[in-house]
Amino acid sequence: MTFTFQPEDLRRESSKKTSHHLFPLAMEEDVKAADTRKANRILDQEKENTRSICLLEQKRKVVSSNIDVPPARKSSEELDMDKVTAAMVLTSLSTSPLVRSPPVRPNEGLSGSWKEGAPSSSSSSGYWSWSAPSDQSNPSTPSPPLSADSFKPFRSPAPPDDGIDEAEASNLLFDEPIPRKRKNSMKVMFKCLWKNCGKVLNTAAGIQKHIRAIHLGRVGESDYSDGEEDFYYTEIKLNTDSMSEGLAPVSPSQSLTSPPTFPVPDCSRTEAPCAKTDPKPMTPLSRSAPTTLYLVRTDHAYQATPPVTIPGSKFTPNGSSFSISWQSPPVTFTGIPVSPTHPHPVGSGEQRQHAHTVLSSPPRGTVSLRKPRGEGKKCRKVYGMENRDMWCTACRWKKACQRFID
DNA sequence: TATGCCGGGCC
DNA sequence: GGCCCGGCATA
């Protein structure tokens, strides 16, 4: 995950946020250093640089420690000055709780934590930056566009200006040269629940601001919050590992009502377009109504068994109709052999079925996907081999059990 | 290894 | 169509 900050953004943000709660120590150190060198004019300039760099550092850490931040464009003189001053700044910042990596060898320090196995693509050129972006962008010619576009979705810890980057987030990660992983890869996002919006931001403040500005129309009163926005957004947790790797759509644990369609890898890269489709009510769950489940039952010829008292189930005969409720969970996929509660990634079973059928009998017209094995106890297990006569007919015939349907 | 059940054969 | 079983996939 690489964040790229344009210098303009940084400066603007720096000027905007003069009080940082996260790094008071760094600020104090900075102020102290400034006081001691007040008489010296050269050092005064250096102080200015230090301050700017300090602000840059703080801004980058606000973004979070898992983000690549390529160096901002500066002139060569400024760079040289930065090299000197940044070392001091980093020394003072090394006590920050968010930055534990030794500032002397920043690339190693960070690459181990969230860029494991990623070969450094650049000669480290002695650039002071503690963050890994020097790996990503050529230090001599800092070219943020690629990395900036690639990792824009995660840039938004900066609360404002979120409408723009979401619009641009559609063209992301075309070629990932270096897979970036984080150990602790759960990322909390905030999703706007406003109808037909589905905007996803990284911070609660950002989403609140978005709701205030866009939906509640409180553009002017940006800081005023009566808590009403809380009703219009929800918190979701994203597994950024699956996001960054773009592998099988492992559904990350989502805390609330976020639809399961959201964290699909492509969606994670282009959060805005996919988030727009979130409110669509068509989910795998909705496709598997219990009525469908029982209709499927009636298709089998094996179910001509008489009604039997089923242990562990509520069986309520009621004239011609009856209601059954047993341990089979309501979330049961009959049409699509993919269960969201299945341990392994969603779709892997189906893919494996496809692969199996393709390999074994490609020209088959009717591809019959083997149903995932039911987890509930079947007649064989319940009654045992000795009571085989108590099995349902299907079980006796080694067919899919019709009594304990999963 | 035990279990679930698909595919197919036999009557 | 009813019945049975070989054999494979999966837990």
Side-chain angles (χ1 to χ4, degrees):
Chain A
M1 260 165 280
T2 301
F3 278 28
T4 300
F5 276 94
Q6 301 296 334
E8 307 86 42
D9 293 338
L10 290 171
R11 296 229 164 79
R12 189 186 57 209
E13 290 296 322
S14 303
S15 61
K16 196 185 297 179
K17 305 175 80 179
T18 53
S19 67
H20 292 268
H21 320 290
L22 294 178
F23 308 101
L25 288 177
M27 292 296 294
E28 284 181 76
E29 294 257 350
D30 185 31
V31 171
K32 267 189 230 172
D35 290 338
T36 55
R37 281 172 273 161
K38 204 176 286 182
N40 196 325
R41 196 160 192 80
I42 296 176
L43 288 181
D44 201 4
Q45 181 186 357
E46 183 176 335
K47 182 199 72 176
E48 287 301 318
N49 285 328
T50 304
R51 178 182 297 276
S52 65
I53 297 216
C54 184
L55 291 174
L56 283 172
E57 290 291 327
Q58 291 166 7
K59 186 59 195 172
R60 286 175 182 171
K61 273 171 287 192
V62 166
V63 165
S64 82
S65 62
N66 61 342
I67 294 165
D68 286 346
V69 182
R73 288 198 190 92
K74 292 174 183 278
S75 65
S76 61
E77 291 183 359
E78 282 177 334
L79 281 177
D80 290 336
M81 190 63 73
D82 287 347
K83 289 176 188 176
V84 177
T85 58
M88 300 165 56
V89 173
L90 288 173
T91 305
S92 63
L93 286 177
S94 61
T95 58
S96 173
L98 289 183
V99 180
R100 292 296 182 191
S101 60
V104 180
R105 306 182 68 178
N107 288 335
E108 286 187 8
L110 281 175
S111 63
S113 61
W114 49 286
K115 281 187 55 180
E116 58 182 42
S120 177
S121 63
S122 74
S123 61
S124 61
S125 79
Y127 196 71
W128 60 270
S129 174
W130 53 270
S131 61
S134 58
D135 292 342
Q136 303 303 317
S137 60
N138 194 344
S140 60
T141 60
S143 59
L146 177 60
S147 56
D149 286 343
S150 300
F151 305 98
K152 206 164 283 183
F154 310 103
R155 196 179 65 175
S156 29
D161 304 330
D162 39 50
I164 300 173
D165 52 357
E166 283 209 3
E168 297 173 354
S170 57
N171 51 350
L172 300 175
L173 293 176
F174 289 112
D175 51 342
E176 287 183 274
I178 301 171
R180 296 167 192 80
K181 289 185 178 178
R182 286 196 329 168
K183 303 293 185 188
N184 189 7
S185 58
M186 293 306 295
K187 185 172 185 60
V188 178
M189 308 282 285
F190 296 89
K191 178 171 178 259
C192 177
L193 296 178
W194 198 273
K195 190 179 179 181
N196 296 329
C197 178
K199 194 177 190 66
V200 179
L201 296 178
N202 296 40
T203 61
I207 196 68
Q208 287 180 359
K209 205 161 191 172
H210 156 78
I211 291 168
R212 276 200 300 273
I214 304 299
H215 302 308
L216 299 180
R218 298 173 184 168
V219 180
E221 38 194 345
S222 61
D223 287 334
Y224 169 73
S225 170
D226 55 359
E228 188 179 354
E229 309 87 11
D230 295 345
F231 295 105
Y232 300 120
Y233 73 89
T234 183
E235 176 182 326
I236 58 176
K237 293 176 183 174
L238 299 180
N239 191 341
T240 55
D241 270 354
S242 61
M243 291 165 60
S244 60
E245 291 174 19
L247 293 177
V250 179
S251 67
S253 64
Q254 300 173 11
S255 59
L256 287 178
T257 61
S258 58
T261 56
F262 169 67
V264 176
D266 285 341
C267 295
S268 64
R269 294 174 190 168
T270 66
E271 59 185 36
C274 289
K276 296 277 191 262
T277 65
D278 278 345
K280 291 184 70 175
M282 196 56 181
T283 63
L285 285 177
S286 64
R287 266 180 273 152
S288 65
T291 55
T292 307
L293 176 66
Y294 296 119
L295 284 177
V296 169
R297 280 193 72 199
T298 60
D299 290 338
H300 289 277
Y302 315 119
Q303 63 175 357
T305 54
V308 181
T309 302
I310 302 167
S313 67
K314 294 178 184 175
F315 188 82
T316 310
N318 184 13
S320 60
S321 65
F322 58 87
S323 65
I324 301 176
S325 66
W326 55 44
Q327 68 270 27
S328 66
V331 182
T332 304
F333 288 79
T334 57
I336 299 175
V338 172
S339 171
T341 60
H342 213 260
H344 41 264
V346 174
S348 68
E350 186 177 8
Q351 288 173 356
R352 217 166 59 177
Q353 295 296 337
H354 278 295
H356 173 71
T357 52
V358 165
L359 288 178
S360 60
S361 59
R364 280 271 178 88
T366 60
V367 178
S368 64
L369 298 177
R370 196 185 184 104
K371 279 199 308 183
R373 185 176 176 176
E375 295 177 358
K377 288 178 181 280
K378 307 295 176 164
C379 297
R380 180 189 183 113
K381 211 164 192 174
V382 170
Y383 303 110
M385 288 294 291
E386 61 274 13
N387 295 322
R388 189 172 176 175
D389 54 318
M390 295 177 67
W391 294 7
C392 69
T393 309
C395 281
R396 265 186 275 126
W397 296 350
K398 293 175 74 172
K399 301 294 182 185
C401 179
Q402 296 301 310
R403 185 171 295 170
F404 305 104
I405 300 176
D406 290 312

